[in-house]
Amino acid sequence: MSDRAASLALGHEQETYNVDRVNSLIYDDFINKYLKPCKPVIIKNATENWQAHQVWDYDFFKKIYSNCQVTIDGKIYNFLEFIDLVLNETNNNNPAPYLREINIPINFPELMVYLQPDIQYTLPNRLTNKLLPRVLERSWGMRKGMVELLIGGKGS
């Protein structure tokens, strides 16, 4: 049995897409060419005006949040300790923890100033609408369109 046939038999068939990569995109073009037909696109410079690109680095987070605690996979880390684990990671068999699903507006609202202006392609953010059924939120893995902080080491 070929790998493709085995994949189909096991229900692991995955669709592949040719994903357009664009440097800029007029909002109306985004709506008509990508959003309405549900076609993926990578917009390379969508966040180019964000201060986070110039300010955020490991030293920034170590300095500002050195005494802050974060919970990753049920374990509590001091932020300074966590960043050191990420920076000193050398063993792929024992990777550093991966910080994920941290809601910036709730947990670190002071960081939102570095994420301005809002990305026009995300507006209006319909994921925050109270009419969105909770079953969709759970099944699609959406968390009300929150802006997340993700920090991980090599390969995460």
Side-chain angles (χ1 to χ4, degrees), residues 42-61:
I42 296 171
I43 306 168
K44 296 186 209 177
N45 65 351
T47 65
E48 72 181 354
N49 294 323
W50 284 5
Q51 284 185 318
H53 292 292
Q54 288 77 41
V55 177
W56 289 7
D57 61 15
Y58 291 120
D59 289 333
F60 170 84
F61 285 100

Side-chain angles (χ1 to χ4, degrees), residues 15-67:
E15 292 186 44
T16 58
Y17 297 93
N18 290 324
V19 178
D20 293 345
R21 294 173 182 266
V22 298
N23 286 321
S24 64
L25 194 57
I26 297 169
Y27 186 75
D28 288 341
D29 288 344
F30 168 71
I31 296 297
N32 294 320
K33 292 180 182 178
Y34 300 101
L35 185 63
K36 286 181 181 176
C38 295
K39 182 179 176 189
V41 62
I42 296 171
I43 306 168
K44 296 186 209 177
N45 65 351
T47 65
E48 72 181 354
N49 294 323
W50 284 5
Q51 284 185 318
H53 292 292
Q54 288 77 41
V55 177
W56 289 7
D57 61 15
Y58 291 120
D59 289 333
F60 170 84
F61 285 100
K62 285 172 69 170
K63 179 180 177 185
I64 303 297
Y65 298 109
S66 61
N67 295 319

Side-chain angles (χ1 to χ4, degrees), residues 98-116:
Y98 178 45
L99 183 68
R100 61 196 183 282
E101 298 180 8
I102 301 298
N103 186 320
I104 292 177
I106 291 173
N107 299 106
F108 300 105
E110 65 279 3
L111 293 179
M112 290 302 293
V113 298
Y114 298 98
L115 305 176
Q116 299 299 322

Side-chain angles (χ1 to χ4, degrees), residues 111-149:
L111 293 179
M112 290 302 293
V113 298
Y114 298 98
L115 305 176
Q116 299 299 322
D118 287 331
I119 302 171
Q120 67 174 337
Y121 312 109
T122 65
L123 300 174
N125 186 350
R126 291 174 180 90
L127 298 178
T128 60
N129 190 312
K130 292 178 182 178
L131 299 176
L132 182 71
R134 289 209 136 327
V135 66
L136 293 180
E137 180 181 334
R138 287 189 301 274
S139 66
W140 291 352
M142 291 186 277
R143 290 176 295 281
K144 292 293 186 189
M146 75 177 178
V147 179
E148 294 182 355
L149 179 62

Side-chain angles (χ1 to χ4, degrees), residues 54-98:
Q54 288 77 41
V55 177
W56 289 7
D57 61 15
Y58 291 120
D59 289 333
F60 170 84
F61 285 100
K62 285 172 69 170
K63 179 180 177 185
I64 303 297
Y65 298 109
S66 61
N67 295 319
C68 180
Q69 292 185 335
V70 291
T71 303
I72 306 169
D73 296 329
K75 183 174 179 187
I76 298 173
Y77 295 88
N78 174 285
F79 214 93
L80 184 61
E81 171 193 16
F82 162 70
I83 295 293
D84 285 342
L85 286 171
V86 170
L87 291 174
N88 296 318
E89 178 180 65
T90 57
N91 183 350
N92 285 339
N93 294 330
N94 190 20
Y98 178 45

